[in-house]
Amino acid sequence: MATKEYSFYPGCSSQEGASSSNYLKSVNTMCEVLDIKLNTIPDWNCCSASIGYCGGGELPRLALSARNIALSEQHNAGQDIVATCAACWLATKETQERLEMDGDLMAETNQALSEAGLTLKNENKIRHMVEVLIEDLGYDELGKHVTKPLEGIKIAGYVGCQTNRPFGIEGESFENPKYLDKFIETMGAEPVEKYDKKVSCCGGALAFSEPEKSQALIKDIIEAAYDGGADMIVTPCPVCQMNVEVYQDKINAKYGTKFSIPVTYYSTLMSVAYGKSGKEAGLDGQIIPAKKLEDIAGK
Amino acid sequence: MSDTNTSMVEKYRNNFLKEVEANVEEGEWVKMCMQCGVCSGSCPLGPHWDHPPQELFMMIRAGKRDEVLESTSMWMCTSCYNCIVRCPRELPITHIMHGLAHYATRLGIEPKNQPTRKFAQLFWDNLARNGRVNELKLGISLYFMNGIVEGIKTALGMAGIGMGMVKTKRMNPMEILGGHTVKDKKGFQAMIKKAQELEAARVDN
């Protein structure tokens, strides 16, 4: 199969020394195996995620994503824009949609962009990495590269919010999307059936500002994974990953639970199943080590 | 009371719905709400809201201007988009909540001590400075947003998590010296400034 090329928007949390740098590591490893070439958008900026609305009004926020799309059009002409972060994907796609629908906003956005010497045509598709895997490659192709099936690991596929709503993945339902379970199966592991917190909210950015309220939500997400017999949790979202992994000690202290369940990305699973080392899979980025994956990677 | 707030009160008199439709992001959708309550029942932090979305929509129509704009409720939106995908009338509820919060801020009547309000403002200031988020500085400013004593307590409480992040190279203490940035900072900031000017002109007219 010929190399597939995309214009890549990595986002703030994936930068070196940032909270999901291990996600990017595993994505790069996974893409190398799958012959996917990611051309990073030069000089991309923050999308303002879903929490920029206090200081940033509608137009300044749209301008942020518009700048990224315009830079992509200029440097990676004709290529679909792909994001790995749920919030980056959502904000960019929302911008594209809103500017398509509203000519006045589009004109004003271009006026703002001209201050940075840019123009927006708004013609390329905005996609999540998960869409590329499912739609451009397909489960069969993803399965072909497995050299170390993840046998004997039971995994709760935690899809979360923003990879699922409001856009979601074509052909999947908002209430019970199946793609993450299919990824898990394709890699040779066993998905938790009827994981009832699959699309529940972890609190998102409010894990910082409303820690107690958010940790109550996170507790339920982890509890449901244990109830389903999971050894670990996997997610497509950097905020979900961080929130569900790093607060387990705090939750244990408050609720008397004994949580210690690793939370990784789908790309971590795939890198390990594709025979890559723990380091290449980003396993050294786990605060709660994913022992079962480490064992397979070390074999 | 800010000048913008006073002039808005005068301009719209008793028609708060009209004010929302004209000035709040996606505000023209508010009148479409049929009060079914699915949004309120679908909200992860809904039990903590004084006025869930459905109620806010009715309050807007009833002209409860101060109660709506000074409310802490919409600041507890986690942006999970559950309400949006479940709304039978397809109102972009998440965006209206963000829009109401932003509009209250623009008028200077937002609930100043609401923690997510503070955090959201810190986040914006952080990204607007260099074009990219500096997670370390954001975290530190978050811990200290309620003053120095509270800050030290929070920082100590979070030290375990911070150390875990540093050890796994998911946080870099050196970011304090500057950190990630866009190269065209000048163009970036000029663009934001222009967008802010254009938007202010729209609201003030």
Side-chain angles (χ1 to χ4, degrees), chain A residues 19 43 46 59 61 98, chain B residues 25 81 131 135 170 183 199:
Chain A
S19 57
D43 211 33
C46 174
L59 191 61
R61 279 186 287 121
R98 212 169 290 183
Chain B
E25 187 173 338
Y81 291 78
E135 291 180 345
R170 288 165 64 184
K183 282 191 217 93
E199 190 160 83

Side-chain angles (χ1 to χ4, degrees), chain A residues 33-83:
Chain A
V33 174
L34 297 172
D35 205 10
I36 294 172
K37 188 164 176 243
L38 299 177
N39 305 311
T40 302
I41 299 172
D43 211 33
W44 56 267
N45 55 260
C46 174
C47 71
S48 95
S50 35
I51 195 75
Y53 60 80
C54 179
E58 183 179 21
L59 191 61
R61 279 186 287 121
L62 292 175
L64 288 174
S65 292
R67 181 175 176 274
N68 291 329
I69 304 174
L71 283 168
S72 175
E73 287 170 355
Q74 194 178 79
H75 297 277
N76 299 331
Q79 295 172 12
D80 289 357
I81 296 174
V82 172

Side-chain angles (χ1 to χ4, degrees), chain A residues 249-290:
Chain A
D249 281 350
K250 294 225 163 250
I251 293 168
N252 289 342
K254 175 155 189 202
Y255 294 95
T257 45
K258 288 179 182 153
F259 295 160
S260 180
I261 190 164
V263 187
T264 75
Y265 297 101
Y266 60 91
S267 45
T268 325
L269 292 188
M270 293 169 71
S271 298
V272 172
Y274 291 166
K276 297 297 174 177
S277 71
K279 205 170 162 78
E280 288 167 308
L283 284 176
D284 53 356
Q286 294 298 126
I287 290 175
I288 299 177

